[in-house]
């Protein structure tokens, strides 16, 4: 399984970014993809996840109403649309995947992307 993230960058507070996670190598459709983030000196935090089959989504409380996770199953790509970004959203964002149900607990996932930096200026 391979996950490739893209879309990070520098944005002003209040701005928007869209992250992409392209997945390959899964042998079935029964998997979930999640976005995590890790800021310097902080633990890795689950942001959002989506089930490949059922499309169910979950969000961490601080991003509800600002972030939207979606999937293009034909492209095996998951997106994280981030709006109204705040300085506290700045972090390295990772996508993660594994067979089974959606979860925001990082130990659920054995497959990880390389990460993409999101910087939010105030």
């Amino acid at each position: 399984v391979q996950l490739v993230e893209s879309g990070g960058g520098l944005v002003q507070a209040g701005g928007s970014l869209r992250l992409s996670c392209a997945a390959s190598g899964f042998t079935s459709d029964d998997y979930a993809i999640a976005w995590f983030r890790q800021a310097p000196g902080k633990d890795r935090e689950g942001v959002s996840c989506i089930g490949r089959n059922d499309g169910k989504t979950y969000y961490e409380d601080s991003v509800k109403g600002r972030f939207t996770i979606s999937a293009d199953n034909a492209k095996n790509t998951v997106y994280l649309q981030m709006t109204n970004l705040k300085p506290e959203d700045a972090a390295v964002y990772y996508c993660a995947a594994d067979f089974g149900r959606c979860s925001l607990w990082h130990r659920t996932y054995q497959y990880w992307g390389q990460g993409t930096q999101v910087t939010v200026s105030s």
Side-chain angles (χ1 to χ4, degrees):
V1 173
Q2 186 175 19
L3 303 173
V4 179
E5 301 114 329
S6 60
L10 171 64
V11 65
Q12 287 188 328
S16 300
L17 281 175
R18 189 178 79 160
L19 306 182
S20 300
C21 174
S24 61
F26 278 100
T27 55
S28 80
D29 292 337
D30 185 23
Y31 63 88
I33 289 184
W35 286 98
F36 289 81
R37 65 186 179 187
Q38 189 165 21
K42 294 189 176 181
D43 292 335
R44 191 163 296 192
E45 173 186 44
V47 175
S48 183
C49 63
I50 186 167
R52 169 65 168 78
N53 272 347
D54 59 16
K56 287 185 177 180
T57 59
Y58 296 91
Y59 295 93
E60 190 269 329
D61 285 347
S62 71
V63 307
K64 286 180 181 176
R66 300 189 298 121
F67 291 11
T68 303
I69 193 168
S70 62
D72 183 336
N73 290 339
K75 295 182 179 180
N76 291 322
T77 299
V78 168
Y79 304 98
L80 186 69
Q81 179 69 49
M82 306 185 293
T83 63
N84 191 20
L85 281 159
K86 303 176 181 181
E88 54 263 41
D89 295 317
V92 177
Y93 282 70
Y94 299 89
C95 73
D98 213 326
F99 297 102
R101 303 170 84 177
C102 189
S103 166
L104 294 184
W105 189 44
H106 65 92
R107 292 193 178 182
T108 300
Y109 300 92
Q110 64 173 311
Y111 304 109
W112 291 83
Q114 80 284 358
T116 186
Q117 178 72 49
V118 171
T119 304
V120 183
S121 64
S122 57

